[in-house]
Amino acid sequence: MPNLTDKTALVTGASRGIGRAIAERLAREGALVAVHYGTGGEAAGQVVDGIRAAGGRAFAVQAELGPADGVDTLFESLEAQLEEHTGSTRLDILVNNAGLMGTALPGEITGEWFDRMMAVNAKAPLFVVQRALSLIPDHGRIINISSGLTRFAAPEQVTYAMTKGALEQITLHLARHLGERRITVNTVAPGSTDNGSALFQIPAARAAMSQLSAFGEVAEPAAIADVVAFLASADARWITGSFVDTSGGTLLG
């Protein structure tokens, strides 16, 4: 079983959905978790409170990752709070989960829309990793949350899929770059996962999404969090540069 006692972790976009489940799972394994949020301060506070109530350790950090100063804002808060809680700015685990999702058919895509999606989903994670590397020790972990949509055609999601494809390239190339330091870098690619949005409460929509999976179900966020916890653990020390399909068999066709 994963054991992350004495480890520190940053999970971006952790106020709800998959990010929240990842933060909660890493905390259960003993990690001190920085719960990042962009605008959902109340929700992030609830995540932190829930982790602490369960005996775990967590704190919230706020930053909008689209704007140019977003990464600097994130790390100013992160480093200060790591120092306060641990006496060090060491960051053992980075989970790039924050992302912007939306639909636009190929003929409806605008330059503004494309730039915003790319800024949040691809540019921000790259520079989050760049900034984090001075804090991550040898044998650290970087886990990028992508999507099965990079392998599964859905024309209305072409922009989103492009940005997640770029994120997967960060995994591939940085895994090689950081190999000498034994820092593993891996991609986790969920399929249809109940993130708490109203769409999943519509029976017909949920039934349609369930049929995409080989299991005939929509995933719960905890299923993705379990895989992330494994990749963050010492047991995954020989896995790097991998694309881990957590779509419930959606990519089987």
Side-chain angles (χ1 to χ4, degrees), residues 8-181:
T8 59
L10 167 64
V11 182
T12 67
S15 64
R16 67 183 187 90
I18 292 173
R20 176 174 184 160
I22 292 170
E24 292 171 341
R25 177 61 196 271
L26 296 182
R28 285 201 302 274
E29 299 300 333
L32 169 63
V33 181
V35 175
H36 163 261
Y37 68 97
T39 58
E42 182 177 351
Q46 292 172 356
V47 176
V48 170
D49 290 345
I51 287 172
R52 291 175 177 173
R57 300 176 299 148
F59 58 85
V61 288
Q62 189 280 332
E64 292 267 9
L65 291 182
D69 62 349
V71 173
D72 288 338
T73 299
L74 169 61
F75 277 86
E76 286 168 7
S77 177
L78 174 67
E79 291 180 42
Q81 294 200 65
L82 284 174
E83 183 76 40
E84 178 183 341
H85 283 83
T86 69
S88 166
T89 58
R90 191 190 81 239
L91 179 66
D92 299 290
I93 302 159
L94 168 62
V95 182
N96 275 312
N97 169 75
L100 179 65
M101 189 172 187
T103 60
L105 288 167
E108 301 169 348
I109 299 167
T110 64
E112 180 181 7
W113 170 249
F114 179 88
D115 290 344
R116 185 175 178 221
M117 293 280 283
M118 189 63 74
V120 175
N121 295 358
K123 182 179 179 181
L126 174 63
F127 286 97
V128 166
V129 171
Q130 183 191 68
R131 183 71 178 266
L133 284 180
S134 63
L135 311 181
I136 298 177
D138 292 355
H139 304 279
R141 300 285 186 266
I142 299 172
I143 301 160
N144 295 319
I145 307 302
S146 181
S147 169
L149 284 166
T150 63
R151 306 290 195 279
F152 180 89
E156 71 281 4
Q157 297 286 359
V158 60
T159 306
Y160 177 76
M162 287 177 67
T163 64
K164 289 299 188 178
L167 180 65
E168 291 172 14
Q169 292 303 307
I170 296 173
T171 293
L172 179 66
H173 296 281
L174 288 182
R176 170 60 74 180
H177 179 64
L178 297 172
E180 289 185 353
R181 294 183 55 194

Side-chain angles (χ1 to χ4, degrees), residues 208-220:
M209 288 185 285
S210 295
Q211 293 310 305
L212 296 173
S213 164
F215 302 130
E217 298 178 12
V218 167
E220 293 300 321

